[in-house]
Amino acid sequence: MLLLILAITLAALVAQPLQLRLVRLLEGYWPARLDRLAAPLRRRHRRRRRALARAAELPAHVEDVPAERLNRLGEAGTELLLRYPAEDRVRPTALGNVLAAGEARAGAASGWDAVVAWPRLYPVIGDRMRQIVDDRRNTLDATVRLEVMSLLSAVAAGALLAGSGWWFWLTLVPAGVGLLAHRAVIEAALAYCESVEVAFDLHRLDLIAALRLPLPADLDAEVRQAADLSAQWRQGVVVPTVYRHQEPSAHGTP
């Protein structure tokens, strides 16, 4: 049994070059021929999302609601925010939905499109923040590899041990490791998304300064500026720009 667990761990390490493909696989980015499988899974997650939305819906007279119920409403709302994107962006897997929700949250309050802004923000977030982001991403990647390799090992062991009596039950070992790893994957994804969101909160103005653009005077101005930059990076929209060539300070402010 110990050798089996060690073999799974070794396989997870060997699979590191395939890391991006493994993450995309667990996110639900599958070939078109698997649409018959993806469609019911999306419907299932949409039902879960709607159930959370109903559980988080505030009643008409909030002042009359007991504190205990308000706490439950808040918990459901937090769960909805962290685990699901907008309904039209729901993915067929739990990991895909958590990461899509994280993409939607990060920088959204200040107008940023995280998908196109993150590659540009990452170089300016500073060593400490980068270490936190990298550590959480590495944890996510490692748990993804462990989950995939464990489940593949369970399938292979089941095929090899079929008809072998009680030896067949050894397949429960890699299957159990895979199920535990799946829960760890979701928790790691939540932690990674949180770190990216915090990076936007703390360093998005550093990105503006690094681009030699004037810092916005208020949130409304930042939303407009961030929306213009995001459109430029996402769609190639040319935005009239006035540069500020004063050298920024160590904190990214003039």
Side-chain angles (χ1 to χ4, degrees):
M1 185 178 297
L2 179 60
L3 289 176
L4 184 58
I5 294 174
L6 289 174
I8 293 172
T9 304
L10 178 61
L13 293 174
V14 171
Q16 186 167 359
L18 302 174
Q19 180 59 56
L20 181 58
R21 288 184 179 273
L22 293 179
V23 173
R24 300 291 278 181
L25 176 67
L26 291 192
E27 280 188 80
Y29 290 96
W30 301 335
R33 61 180 176 272
L34 293 180
D35 277 347
R36 288 186 178 180
L37 174 61
L41 291 175
R42 284 195 190 94
R43 288 195 294 269
R44 178 168 170 260
H45 279 289
R46 286 193 178 106
R47 287 195 297 269
R48 288 186 173 184
R49 188 189 183 281
R50 289 168 192 155
L52 278 174
R54 288 193 298 270
E57 190 174 353
L58 290 173
H61 301 286
V62 179
E63 63 276 5
D64 298 330
V65 178
E68 184 178 348
R69 188 185 172 198
L70 281 178
N71 288 336
R72 291 197 300 271
L73 292 172
E75 290 171 0
T78 300
E79 196 82 353
L80 177 64
L81 182 68
L82 295 179
R83 293 181 181 270
Y84 284 104
E87 187 159 339
D88 61 343
R89 295 192 61 205
V90 166
R91 304 297 307 164
T93 68
L95 176 61
N97 285 311
V98 168
L99 293 179
E103 289 175 356
R105 289 196 314 276
S110 45
W112 296 96
D113 180 342
V115 174
V116 295
W118 177 245
R120 297 161 174 86
L121 178 68
Y122 180 80
V124 302
I125 60 177
D127 293 340
R128 178 57 181 153
M129 189 74 245
R130 189 178 298 111
Q131 181 182 358
I132 294 172
V133 171
D134 289 349
D135 285 347
R136 293 187 177 186
R137 179 68 202 205
N138 289 338
T139 300
L140 173 60
D141 290 345
T143 51
V144 163
R145 292 197 301 273
L146 182 60
E147 178 185 357
V148 172
M149 292 303 107
S150 298
L151 295 178
L152 289 178
S153 298
V155 172
L160 291 172
L161 297 176
S164 61
W166 69 269
W167 288 98
F168 178 79
W169 296 105
L170 287 177
T171 59
L172 293 178
V173 176
V177 172
L179 291 175
L180 290 174
H182 176 71
R183 299 192 65 173
V185 164
I186 301 305
E187 294 302 319
L190 289 168
Y192 171 68
C193 290
E194 179 188 52
S195 66
V196 172
E197 190 173 2
V198 170
F200 270 94
D201 292 342
L202 298 181
H203 295 284
R204 64 188 192 275
L205 296 183
D206 294 344
L207 173 58
I208 294 176
L211 293 170
R212 297 298 191 266
L213 298 175
L215 292 175
D218 53 33
L219 182 59
D220 289 341
E222 183 187 358
V223 168
R224 291 192 297 271
Q225 186 180 42
D228 286 344
L229 288 170
S230 296
Q232 178 176 315
W233 296 331
R234 183 178 56 246
Q235 298 161 272
V237 177
V238 178
V239 179
T241 303
V242 176
Y243 292 107
R244 183 171 186 168
H245 290 291
Q246 180 178 348
E247 192 70 24
S249 70
H251 298 289
T253 55

